[in-house]
Every structure is written in C-alpha cells, then in structure tokens.
Amino acid sequence: MSFRTSGAGLHRGFELVRRSLLQASGLPFADALSAEQIQHAFDAEDVHFGDDDDEVIYTPPVTLWAMLSQMLFTGEQRSCMAAVVRVATFYALLGREVSETNTGAYCRARAKVSEGVVRRLTIQVARNCEGQVPAAWRWKGRNVSVVDGTTFSMPDTAENQAEYPQPTSQAEGLGFPIMRAVALCSLATGMVTALACGPYAGKETGETALLRTLFDALSRGDIVLTDRYYGGWFMLALVQVFGVDFVSRLHQLRTADFERGRRLGKGDHVVSWPKPARPAWMDQETYDRLPQQLEVREVLVNVDVPGFRAESLVVVTSLLDPKDYSRDDLANLYRRRWSVELHLRDIKTAMKLEVLRCKTPARVRQELWTGLLAYNLIRQSILQSAHEAERQPDELSFTATLQMLANSWLLAAVVGGPRDAAEPLVTLRVIHGGSHRVGNRPNRVEPRAVKRRPKPHPLLTKPRAQARAELVASRPA
C-alpha cells in the first residue's frame, strides 16, 4: 500500500486503539490499557519500526489497530486483505490518497509485532481490571482463578506439523496440527489471566504439566478452582506452596470415606492424604520440600437436577473452616467452575479462534495471543457496562459487546476523541452492553447432539494431492 500525503493529520499514537475500543476517561476500568502501557510493551519486547516507506504507513499503532480489527470479524472479513482495506479506508478518511491495497506491507509490519508484545498487553489488561473489581464481584472478597484446558487447530504446513504434530491416530496428509493449551480465567472478570500452550502429545505436554508453568501467575491468597483432572496430590500440594488455596472435584482415582477423619457435618470432613512416591517429572529437592501429609476437606454434594450426568460429587478443598466456608458455599463455588467452559466457548466459537489461520508456529502463537487480547478488551467493555448497570459481568452478553465494537471500529477511529463526536458512541456502547442480558438457566439440560445435518460429502481418506492426481488420471484424454 502506498499513499500521497495531502497534509491531513495522521493518527494520534496508540490512542487510536483506545478510540476504536470506545474508551473514555471517567469510565471504570478505562485505564486498564493506556497508550503509555502499549508503548511500554513494544519497548520491553524491543519492537521498533524504522523509517521505510511501508513503516511510515504501518506504524506500530496502525498495525496493532489492524491486527485487533481482524479478531473482531470472522470469515473473509478476518483476512489480511480486509484489514488492509480498513487501514486504507481509515487513511482515506483522514485525507490521504490511496494508490494501492496490496497486503505485503501489512504482513511485513504485522510480523514485527512479536508474540511477546500481545501477550504482555493481554495479561496487563487482565491484571489491571482484576485489581479494580468491586467487592461484590469477588467470592468472599477473594480472587478466584478457574482452570481449564482446550485445543486449537491450524493449517497443515510442515512448520506447524514439526512443532504441533497432528494426533498419531490420523494418517499422514489427512490430519491437522493441534496445539494443547491451559488457561487461567478470572471468576470475577472472565478475562484470561495466563495461558500456556504446547504440543498435543509427548513427554510433559499434558494439561497438568502446562498448568505447573502458570503458577507464577497466581498470587498469595488466591483460590484456584479446577475440575477433577487437576486434583492430584502433587498438584494440590504445589499450589499450596505458593500460598494459594484450591477447590476441586475429587480426583477420579480416589474415593472418599466419610467414616474417617475429623467430622464437620454430614458428608463433610477433614482428612489427611499421605504423600505418594516421587513422580518422574519432579526433582528430588522439590519432592523433599513437600509435606508428608496433605490436609484436605472433602464435601459431599448431591445433584438433584434431572438430566445432569452426576447424581453426586465430592468437592475437595484446602478451605477447612466450616464457619467461613460453609458446605453450600463450596458447592455453589464449584458449580461456577462451568463459567470457564463458557469463556472458552466465547473465544473458540463466538470469535472463531478454534481453527487458527497462520502457517508458522510463531505466527500461530501471535495470532492466538492477539485474539486473547481482543477477548480481554471485549471483557473490559462488559465490566464497564455491568458496573454502570449494577449487574454482574456474567449476566451480560459477550456476543452483543463484540458486535458493538466491530460495527463501530472504523467510525470510532476517525471521529475524534471522546469529548466530541465519539462521546455518543461511548455512551451507546455502555448502554448496549448493559441492555443485552444472557438467559438465567441454571438447570438447563440439552442433548449433546445437533439437529442440522451436514452436507453429504465423503471424508477425504488420502492426501489431497494424491486424490487430485487420481481424478485427473481417471478422465479420458
């Protein structure tokens, strides 16, 4: 893309990003991502643009603005070409003539914005918002991090296959590279506060191994809320070493005997779990530092909802005091663990990030973190709407906020600051977000099946190049 300057002013640094996000001073959480913080992330990762003609156009603010715009759209509107057209439209509205709209310059600029930059910004937004949430949004005044794992697919290229191999059950040439990821999400804000990713299979690539790399993202006094897959002895013991409490479901390889231990009530007791033998992945020094006994509280929870798979379950926790943390408190908290499933659904389904588009591992991770940054910024808007509407953030629609930001993205970039023409857009965004509530269906039951039938195309059972060659050979000359 090249332009001829007509003397009109250009962008106002990274405030361009904030304008399109419809942020205004005076709103709660508005300072979660400032222009100075964005610049600091670029400086910390040593990302600097030069004075080439391309870089005069694709400055760091414009490049980041275009990258985020891709995450707000799906389908053909997510392509690099669509992003370039948005940038060209932005400059044209500022009075600069557009001579071409090739994607090469944008792709070169985007490649300079490293994974580290967008990862820093993603985590910064989450931490800044977490520190500002009202007390009513916290669980008993404490920060709760919800853990879950998921996977992402990507294009079948040699580079992606080398770092994120396809499952061994798939024949060569028929599968797709797959990335395993484990996320920490804030129960109060719904934001992704940390994420670790790696190959789907291999030594130390499981979800528990990835979670161990995220311990530094936790703070003393936090609570980790997990399903039973993460409820092994060593995982729970290591979490407590960091001064973090846990609430989990009883691991599938354990059974609860409520005739043992210190009884706190019916189906509620404290027991000691002896330390198992050292696992292969743990060094001897760490093993020796762990206690010989792990004192845990086990709580039996009856599930009296027709259609639910479990009729009862056992919640395991380090919160031992029944006066501060009653049986019902723990049962209700564990039920809220399902929120992380909804957050991952928003990321993978609403934002269409289940299948990533880039063709090299570094660019795949950059794309994923850019999507997570956009996700957290959408959540920031939800927090503002919830605060103004005096509602809980999880009562408001993620999709409605996403649609509002996407539809106003370009307009908000060119109409100016929030004190002039953009102010009605800011007000509309807050009102729009607070007006669209999600349904309160706590005992909803649905079959795990889809009604709409897929198109009756057969599955590809051989590499596409081979199948194409056979088709060509089968036609008479």
Side-chain angles (χ1 to χ4, degrees):
M1 183 190 297
S2 61
F3 302 85
R4 294 194 297 274
T5 304
S6 63
L10 301 180
H11 55 78
R12 303 173 186 174
F14 287 109
E15 284 298 325
L16 169 66
V17 175
R18 285 173 47 83
R19 287 207 306 274
S20 281
L21 291 166
L22 295 174
Q23 292 301 310
S25 58
L27 284 177
F29 308 100
D31 59 349
L33 187 65
S34 66
E36 293 77 16
Q37 290 167 346
I38 301 175
Q39 184 63 61
H40 176 74
F42 275 79
D43 293 341
E45 295 293 327
D46 198 27
V47 176
H48 302 286
F49 287 34
D51 296 324
D52 296 340
D53 289 343
D54 289 346
E55 294 172 345
V56 172
I57 301 303
Y58 286 105
T59 60
V62 170
T63 304
L64 180 61
W65 179 85
M67 290 169 61
L68 287 172
S69 79
Q70 288 183 270
M71 297 298 108
L72 298 180
F73 295 93
T74 60
E76 64 277 3
Q77 292 301 318
R78 177 163 289 179
S79 68
C80 289
M81 175 60 75
V84 168
V85 170
R86 283 189 285 272
V87 172
T89 304
F90 166 67
Y91 275 122
L93 291 172
L94 292 180
R96 303 191 69 178
E97 283 188 54
V98 180
S99 62
E100 60 184 42
T101 54
N102 294 327
T103 60
Y106 171 60
C107 290
R108 289 190 293 272
R110 191 178 67 162
K112 293 184 178 182
V113 183
S114 67
E115 168 196 349
V117 170
V118 284
R119 182 175 64 245
R120 279 177 180 270
L121 295 175
T122 302
I123 295 171
Q124 177 129 30
V125 172
R127 287 179 176 172
N128 288 347
C129 287
E130 187 78 21
Q132 300 178 46
V133 297
W137 292 1
R138 302 184 190 276
W139 188 76
K140 292 185 172 292
R142 300 182 66 175
N143 293 335
V144 179
S145 292
V146 195
V147 181
D148 203 14
T150 189
T151 58
F152 297 92
S153 181
M154 64 195 74
D156 186 14
T157 65
E159 295 93 336
N160 287 342
Q161 287 280 14
E163 191 153 342
Y164 302 109
Q166 68 185 45
T168 56
S169 59
Q170 294 177 320
E172 184 177 353
L174 297 182
F176 290 92
I178 187 168
M179 172 196 292
R180 187 193 299 279
V182 171
L184 291 179
C185 291
S186 165
L187 186 67
T189 67
M191 293 185 177
V192 174
T193 58
L195 180 131
C197 58
Y200 181 73
K203 186 176 181 181
E204 288 300 293
T205 61
E207 291 183 17
T208 53
L210 291 177
L211 177 57
R212 292 197 298 272
T213 68
L214 299 178
F215 284 165
D216 288 343
L218 300 171
S219 300
R220 183 170 294 274
D222 286 356
I223 298 174
V224 169
L225 179 60
T226 78
D227 65 18
R228 60 184 173 185
Y229 183 77
Y230 303 94
W233 194 96
F234 289 104
M235 182 62 70
L236 301 183
L238 287 170
V239 164
Q240 287 195 287
V241 167
F242 285 81
V244 176
D245 285 306
F246 60 83
V247 175
S248 177
R249 187 175 173 182
L250 184 69
H251 194 274
Q252 58 268 25
L253 298 181
R254 286 187 177 273
T255 57
D257 181 1
F258 287 96
E259 299 299 321
R260 298 172 51 245
R262 174 163 57 90
R263 190 173 186 272
L264 302 178
K266 184 178 180 180
D268 187 358
H269 69 167
V270 176
V271 293
S272 293
W273 292 351
K275 181 161 67 172
R278 180 174 67 88
W281 53 264
M282 180 177 285
D283 61 81
Q284 187 66 47
E285 182 181 357
T286 302
Y287 181 78
D288 292 340
R289 287 204 310 266
L290 298 179
Q292 293 301 312
Q293 300 284 333
L294 185 63
E295 193 174 39
V296 300
R297 180 180 175 190
E298 298 176 336
V299 177
L300 179 64
V301 177
N302 293 316
V303 182
D304 299 322
V305 180
F308 277 31
R309 284 179 293 172
E311 296 183 357
S312 65
L313 54 90
V314 176
V315 173
V316 178
T317 181
S318 57
L319 304 173
L320 307 183
D321 191 336
K323 294 181 179 178
D324 292 337
Y325 307 100
S326 71
R327 179 176 176 174
D328 287 343
D329 289 336
L330 296 172
N332 291 332
L333 176 60
Y334 185 77
R335 186 170 190 176
R336 293 183 65 187
R337 192 209 66 82
W338 185 253
S339 65
V340 71
E341 307 279 356
L342 303 180
H343 301 330
L344 291 176
R345 183 192 65 182
D346 290 336
I347 293 168
K348 298 177 66 174
T349 304
M351 297 184 67
K352 304 297 182 186
L353 287 172
E354 184 171 12
V355 179
L356 302 169
R357 302 163 66 103
C358 292
K359 297 182 179 180
T360 62
R363 295 293 294 276
V364 163
R365 291 190 295 272
Q366 181 215 47
E367 179 186 3
L368 175 58
W369 277 105
T370 304
L372 296 178
L373 173 58
Y375 169 81
N376 277 1
L377 292 170
I378 295 167
R379 286 282 169 196
Q380 177 194 19
S381 290
I382 291 176
L383 297 184
Q384 292 171 333
S385 296
H387 190 276
E388 295 297 304
E390 297 183 348
R391 300 192 185 281
Q392 292 287 326
D394 57 7
E395 295 180 42
L396 303 185
S397 170
F398 177 87
T399 302
T401 305
L402 167 64
Q403 291 169 342
M404 175 67 199
L405 290 175
N407 284 306
S408 63
W409 186 258
L410 180 58
L411 178 61
V414 297
V415 294
R419 294 186 180 277
D420 43 61
E423 188 170 359
L425 284 176
V426 175
T427 303
L428 175 61
R429 192 264 299 161
V430 174
I431 293 174
H432 176 81
S435 300
H436 292 269
R437 300 178 63 186
V438 294
N440 182 23
R441 297 171 288 181
N443 295 330
R444 179 184 179 188
V445 175
E446 294 289 346
R448 292 195 168 193
V450 294
K451 179 180 178 181
R452 190 171 298 280
R453 272 58 174 170
K455 293 182 179 180
H457 294 305
L459 297 177
L460 194 64
T461 58
K462 58 189 70 174
R464 187 173 295 277
Q466 178 184 341
R468 188 185 299 116
E470 291 176 0
L471 280 175
V472 173
S474 67
R475 297 184 63 181

mmCIF file of all heavy atoms in Angstrom, residues 25-44:
data_model
loop_
_atom_site.group_PDB
_atom_site.id
_atom_site.type_symbol
_atom_site.label_atom_id
_atom_site.label_comp_id
_atom_site.label_asym_id
_atom_site.label_seq_id
_atom_site.Cartn_x
_atom_site.Cartn_y
_atom_site.Cartn_z
ATOM 1 N N SER A 25 -12.163 8.583 29.470
ATOM 2 C CA SER A 25 -11.794 8.866 30.849
ATOM 3 C C SER A 25 -13.053 9.060 31.682
ATOM 4 O O SER A 25 -14.050 9.599 31.208
ATOM 5 C CB SER A 25 -10.927 10.128 30.908
ATOM 6 O OG SER A 25 -11.622 11.227 30.352
ATOM 7 N N GLY A 26 -13.007 8.594 32.892
ATOM 8 C CA GLY A 26 -14.170 8.687 33.765
ATOM 9 C C GLY A 26 -14.946 7.393 33.871
ATOM 10 O O GLY A 26 -15.672 7.180 34.846
ATOM 11 N N LEU A 27 -14.782 6.501 32.891
ATOM 12 C CA LEU A 27 -15.428 5.193 32.980
ATOM 13 C C LEU A 27 -14.599 4.275 33.876
ATOM 14 O O LEU A 27 -13.371 4.356 33.905
ATOM 15 C CB LEU A 27 -15.541 4.559 31.594
ATOM 16 C CG LEU A 27 -16.612 5.089 30.655
ATOM 17 C CD1 LEU A 27 -16.509 4.391 29.302
ATOM 18 C CD2 LEU A 27 -18.005 4.886 31.233
ATOM 19 N N PRO A 28 -15.259 3.388 34.628
ATOM 20 C CA PRO A 28 -14.490 2.409 35.403
ATOM 21 C C PRO A 28 -13.689 1.513 34.460
ATOM 22 O O PRO A 28 -14.124 1.231 33.341
ATOM 23 C CB PRO A 28 -15.579 1.623 36.146
ATOM 24 C CG PRO A 28 -16.819 1.817 35.322
ATOM 25 C CD PRO A 28 -16.720 3.190 34.741
ATOM 26 N N PHE A 29 -12.528 1.092 34.891
ATOM 27 C CA PHE A 29 -11.648 0.184 34.158
ATOM 28 C C PHE A 29 -11.066 0.823 32.889
ATOM 29 O O PHE A 29 -10.405 0.142 32.109
ATOM 30 C CB PHE A 29 -12.371 -1.123 33.767
ATOM 31 C CG PHE A 29 -13.038 -1.819 34.903
ATOM 32 C CD1 PHE A 29 -14.410 -1.696 35.115
ATOM 33 C CD2 PHE A 29 -12.313 -2.603 35.785
ATOM 34 C CE1 PHE A 29 -15.036 -2.336 36.160
ATOM 35 C CE2 PHE A 29 -12.925 -3.253 36.838
ATOM 36 C CZ PHE A 29 -14.289 -3.121 37.028
ATOM 37 N N ALA A 30 -11.303 2.116 32.643
ATOM 38 C CA ALA A 30 -10.850 2.739 31.401
ATOM 39 C C ALA A 30 -9.330 2.790 31.299
ATOM 40 O O ALA A 30 -8.777 2.852 30.199
ATOM 41 C CB ALA A 30 -11.433 4.141 31.266
ATOM 42 N N ASP A 31 -8.637 2.786 32.446
ATOM 43 C CA ASP A 31 -7.179 2.879 32.425
ATOM 44 C C ASP A 31 -6.507 1.505 32.419
ATOM 45 O O ASP A 31 -5.297 1.406 32.640
ATOM 46 C CB ASP A 31 -6.681 3.683 33.624
ATOM 47 C CG ASP A 31 -7.100 3.062 34.955
ATOM 48 O OD1 ASP A 31 -7.940 2.134 34.937
ATOM 49 O OD2 ASP A 31 -6.599 3.508 36.000
ATOM 50 N N ALA A 32 -7.270 0.463 32.130
ATOM 51 C CA ALA A 32 -6.690 -0.885 32.112
ATOM 52 C C ALA A 32 -5.675 -1.049 30.989
ATOM 53 O O ALA A 32 -4.785 -1.896 31.067
ATOM 54 C CB ALA A 32 -7.793 -1.931 31.973
ATOM 55 N N LEU A 33 -5.809 -0.259 29.931
ATOM 56 C CA LEU A 33 -4.835 -0.289 28.847
ATOM 57 C C LEU A 33 -4.675 1.124 28.312
ATOM 58 O O LEU A 33 -5.492 1.604 27.534
ATOM 59 C CB LEU A 33 -5.294 -1.233 27.727
ATOM 60 C CG LEU A 33 -4.270 -1.462 26.615
ATOM 61 C CD1 LEU A 33 -3.037 -2.177 27.170
ATOM 62 C CD2 LEU A 33 -4.859 -2.246 25.472
ATOM 63 N N SER A 34 -3.629 1.792 28.733
ATOM 64 C CA SER A 34 -3.371 3.161 28.294
ATOM 65 C C SER A 34 -2.399 3.150 27.118
ATOM 66 O O SER A 34 -1.724 2.149 26.847
ATOM 67 C CB SER A 34 -2.779 3.987 29.436
ATOM 68 O OG SER A 34 -1.487 3.493 29.783
ATOM 69 N N ALA A 35 -2.313 4.297 26.428
ATOM 70 C CA ALA A 35 -1.360 4.424 25.321
ATOM 71 C C ALA A 35 0.067 4.233 25.812
ATOM 72 O O ALA A 35 0.907 3.629 25.128
ATOM 73 C CB ALA A 35 -1.526 5.782 24.657
ATOM 74 N N GLU A 36 0.348 4.709 27.019
ATOM 75 C CA GLU A 36 1.693 4.558 27.581
ATOM 76 C C GLU A 36 2.014 3.091 27.845
ATOM 77 O O GLU A 36 3.152 2.651 27.636
ATOM 78 C CB GLU A 36 1.808 5.366 28.873
ATOM 79 C CG GLU A 36 1.748 6.883 28.690
ATOM 80 C CD GLU A 36 0.326 7.388 28.446
ATOM 81 O OE1 GLU A 36 -0.646 6.625 28.711
ATOM 82 O OE2 GLU A 36 0.181 8.528 27.965
ATOM 83 N N GLN A 37 1.031 2.335 28.321
ATOM 84 C CA GLN A 37 1.261 0.917 28.582
ATOM 85 C C GLN A 37 1.519 0.144 27.293
ATOM 86 O O GLN A 37 2.352 -0.771 27.266
ATOM 87 C CB GLN A 37 0.059 0.338 29.328
ATOM 88 C CG GLN A 37 -0.076 0.826 30.760
ATOM 89 C CD GLN A 37 -1.428 0.491 31.365
ATOM 90 O OE1 GLN A 37 -2.375 0.128 30.680
ATOM 91 N NE2 GLN A 37 -1.535 0.637 32.673
ATOM 92 N N ILE A 38 0.812 0.502 26.236
ATOM 93 C CA ILE A 38 1.045 -0.156 24.951
ATOM 94 C C ILE A 38 2.455 0.139 24.463
ATOM 95 O O ILE A 38 3.191 -0.762 24.027
ATOM 96 C CB ILE A 38 0.001 0.289 23.913
ATOM 97 C CG1 ILE A 38 -1.422 -0.034 24.392
ATOM 98 C CG2 ILE A 38 0.262 -0.399 22.575
ATOM 99 C CD1 ILE A 38 -2.508 0.494 23.472
ATOM 100 N N GLN A 39 2.852 1.405 24.541
ATOM 101 C CA GLN A 39 4.204 1.774 24.112
ATOM 102 C C GLN A 39 5.258 1.047 24.941
ATOM 103 O O GLN A 39 6.284 0.592 24.408
ATOM 104 C CB GLN A 39 4.397 3.283 24.234
ATOM 105 C CG GLN A 39 5.745 3.775 23.721
ATOM 106 C CD GLN A 39 5.922 3.527 22.230
ATOM 107 O OE1 GLN A 39 5.152 4.043 21.428
ATOM 108 N NE2 GLN A 39 6.903 2.711 21.871
ATOM 109 N N HIS A 40 5.012 0.914 26.235
ATOM 110 C CA HIS A 40 5.965 0.212 27.105
ATOM 111 C C HIS A 40 6.111 -1.244 26.689
ATOM 112 O O HIS A 40 7.225 -1.795 26.722
ATOM 113 C CB HIS A 40 5.513 0.298 28.556
ATOM 114 C CG HIS A 40 6.389 -0.474 29.499
ATOM 115 N ND1 HIS A 40 7.647 -0.035 29.865
ATOM 116 C CD2 HIS A 40 6.194 -1.668 30.130
ATOM 117 C CE1 HIS A 40 8.190 -0.922 30.686
ATOM 118 N NE2 HIS A 40 7.336 -1.916 30.870
ATOM 119 N N ALA A 41 5.015 -1.894 26.290
ATOM 120 C CA ALA A 41 5.089 -3.290 25.856
ATOM 121 C C ALA A 41 5.945 -3.420 24.600
ATOM 122 O O ALA A 41 6.765 -4.351 24.487
ATOM 123 C CB ALA A 41 3.687 -3.838 25.611
ATOM 124 N N PHE A 42 5.793 -2.497 23.657
ATOM 125 C CA PHE A 42 6.630 -2.523 22.458
ATOM 126 C C PHE A 42 8.095 -2.308 22.823
ATOM 127 O O PHE A 42 8.986 -2.989 22.297
ATOM 128 C CB PHE A 42 6.161 -1.451 21.472
ATOM 129 C CG PHE A 42 5.027 -1.890 20.575
ATOM 130 C CD1 PHE A 42 3.727 -1.922 21.039
ATOM 131 C CD2 PHE A 42 5.270 -2.283 19.273
ATOM 132 C CE1 PHE A 42 2.684 -2.323 20.228
ATOM 133 C CE2 PHE A 42 4.240 -2.692 18.441
ATOM 134 C CZ PHE A 42 2.936 -2.718 18.917
ATOM 135 N N ASP A 43 8.357 -1.379 23.728
ATOM 136 C CA ASP A 43 9.736 -1.103 24.122
ATOM 137 C C ASP A 43 10.344 -2.282 24.878
ATOM 138 O O ASP A 43 11.511 -2.638 24.661
ATOM 139 C CB ASP A 43 9.788 0.150 24.988
ATOM 140 C CG ASP A 43 9.420 1.412 24.221
ATOM 141 O OD1 ASP A 43 9.474 1.385 22.978
ATOM 142 O OD2 ASP A 43 9.057 2.415 24.875
ATOM 143 N N ALA A 44 9.553 -2.887 25.772
ATOM 144 C CA ALA A 44 10.060 -4.006 26.581
ATOM 145 C C ALA A 44 10.427 -5.202 25.715
ATOM 146 O O ALA A 44 11.354 -5.957 26.043
ATOM 147 C CB ALA A 44 9.024 -4.405 27.629
#
